């Protein structure tokens, strides 16, 4: 491994995160490190012009990838984020309670299937009618997420919000806020916004707290760069 590792950049005896500022998956891993306050080196990867050596880091040529101090390489954003949570428990990214962790995983899966996945369908829809149909599906997903947030805030671990773990920006936010941040892209290209009405109250309360927290703002890419990077997804 040592001979191969000489062919790509990394932090000796430290953490190296191969990332892309506008990639929501890469932002997950970076936020985990930032919230846990773990020193790390970021190597920015241009996804449209990947370095010739990147296949040595990740044969799938995706971001993020984490190189640990031992030289091991980890891929997949949630795997990396959970590794950080378990490796640095004092950061309290994850609960130690099995039921609470299960409830959190269900929330992340709900967010992924009902919001993150639908985002790309709204963006890629060529026909106006298809765009409107996908936007309705996305709003349905936001309503479901809103209800689940309100359910969580009634649990002891939710403590009334505004984050999943009450006043603590933690793993739930690390796993989801990158995609909520992409609503700025949909507003620009598709005129999509979440209404400020009662049925979206939970989501708007959560998102309003999220966008003003350093856990979001410190990793958030420039709006212009973010919007430009998603133009390639348009039909």
């Amino acid at each position: 491994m040592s001979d191969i590792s000489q062919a790509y950049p990394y932090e000796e005896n430290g953490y190296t995160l191969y990332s892309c500022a506008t990639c929501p998956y890469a932002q997950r891993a970076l936020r985990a490190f930032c919230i846990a306050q773990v020193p790390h080196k970021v190597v920015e990867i241009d996804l449209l012009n990947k370095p010739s050596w990147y296949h040595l880091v990740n044969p799938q040529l995706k971001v993020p990838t984490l190189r640990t101090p031992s030289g091991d390489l980890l891929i997949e954003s949630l795997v990396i984020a959970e590794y950080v949570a378990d490796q640095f428990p004092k950061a309290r990214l994850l609960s130690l309670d099995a039921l609470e962790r299960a409830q959190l995983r269900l929330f992340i899966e709900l967010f992924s299937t009902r919001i993150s996945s639908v985002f790309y369908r709204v963006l890629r829809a060529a026909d106006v009618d298809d765009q409107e149909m996908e936007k309705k599906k996305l709003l349905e997903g936001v309503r479901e997420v809103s209800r689940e947030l309100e359910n969580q805030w009634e649990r002891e671990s939710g403590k009334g919000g505004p984050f999943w773990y009450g006043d603590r920006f933690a793993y739930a936010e690390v796993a989801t806020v990158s995609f909520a941040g992409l609503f700025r892209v949909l507003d620009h290209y598709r005129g999509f916004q979440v209404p400020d009405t009662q049925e979206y109250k939970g989501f708007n309360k959560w998102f309003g707290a999220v966008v003003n927290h350093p856990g979001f703002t410190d990793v958030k890419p420039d709006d212009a760069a973010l919007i430009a990077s998603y133009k390639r997804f348009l039909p």
Side-chain angles (χ1 to χ4, degrees):
M1 178 181 291
S2 59
D3 291 337
I4 294 176
S5 66
Q6 299 305 313
Y8 61 84
Y10 65 92
E11 182 74 11
E12 187 74 39
N13 300 317
Y15 289 100
T16 305
L17 190 62
Y18 303 87
S19 186
C20 174
T22 58
C23 173
Y25 298 98
Q27 288 171 37
R28 279 173 166 172
L30 185 54
R31 281 197 169 91
F33 273 92
C34 291
I35 293 299
Q37 298 184 330
V38 179
H40 59 282
K41 174 181 179 178
V42 175
V43 177
E44 189 74 7
I45 302 298
D46 183 345
L47 295 179
L48 299 180
N49 185 26
K50 301 179 184 74
S52 59
W53 47 260
Y54 194 56
H55 69 283
L56 299 173
V57 176
N58 187 336
Q60 298 179 26
L61 300 176
K62 299 191 296 185
V63 291
T65 303
L66 173 67
R67 188 184 194 275
T68 69
S70 64
D72 292 296
L73 294 166
L74 298 177
I75 63 173
E76 299 298 337
S77 59
L78 289 180
V79 171
I80 294 171
E82 190 163 347
Y83 166 83
V84 173
D86 289 336
Q87 191 75 357
F88 302 97
K90 289 184 179 179
R92 300 173 65 217
L93 286 175
L94 274 172
S95 170
L96 298 178
D97 182 88
L99 177 59
E100 290 178 5
R101 286 177 78 128
Q103 290 166 335
L104 173 57
R105 287 192 178 96
L106 288 171
F107 172 71
I108 293 170
E109 178 64 18
L110 174 66
F111 200 104
S112 177
T113 56
R114 302 294 281 132
I115 292 182
S116 305
S117 298
V118 184
F119 162 84
Y120 290 98
R121 297 207 301 268
V122 175
L123 203 59
R124 289 187 170 115
D127 182 84
V128 174
D129 290 340
D130 289 341
Q131 292 173 17
E132 292 304 313
M133 179 181 68
E134 296 298 345
K135 284 196 281 188
K136 287 180 181 179
K137 290 180 181 178
L138 183 52
L139 284 176
E140 289 173 4
V142 174
R143 286 196 295 271
E144 289 184 45
V145 166
S146 188
R147 288 193 294 269
E148 187 53 36
L149 283 166
E150 295 191 61
N151 289 339
Q152 166 63 9
W153 294 334
E154 292 179 359
R155 300 173 184 136
E156 184 177 352
S157 61
K159 304 174 184 176
F163 305 113
W164 181 262
Y165 285 143
D167 61 357
R168 187 156 47 93
F169 187 111
Y171 191 86
E173 287 69 40
V174 165
T176 59
V177 296
S178 303
F179 296 94
L182 291 179
F183 283 2
R184 177 71 184 89
V185 175
L186 288 187
D187 183 19
H188 178 83
Y189 287 119
R190 296 288 182 252
F192 176 86
Q193 294 183 348
V194 176
D196 185 17
T197 57
Q198 184 67 25
E199 57 190 335
Y200 303 102
K201 181 180 178 181
F203 180 87
N204 286 329
K205 174 182 175 179
W206 173 80
F207 190 62
V210 158
V211 296
N212 291 300
H213 192 280
F216 179 80
T217 58
D218 288 354
V219 179
K220 175 184 175 293
D222 174 75
D223 277 351
L226 183 67
I227 289 168
S229 72
Y230 278 87
K231 189 174 182 179
R232 61 193 175 97
F233 291 97
L234 298 175

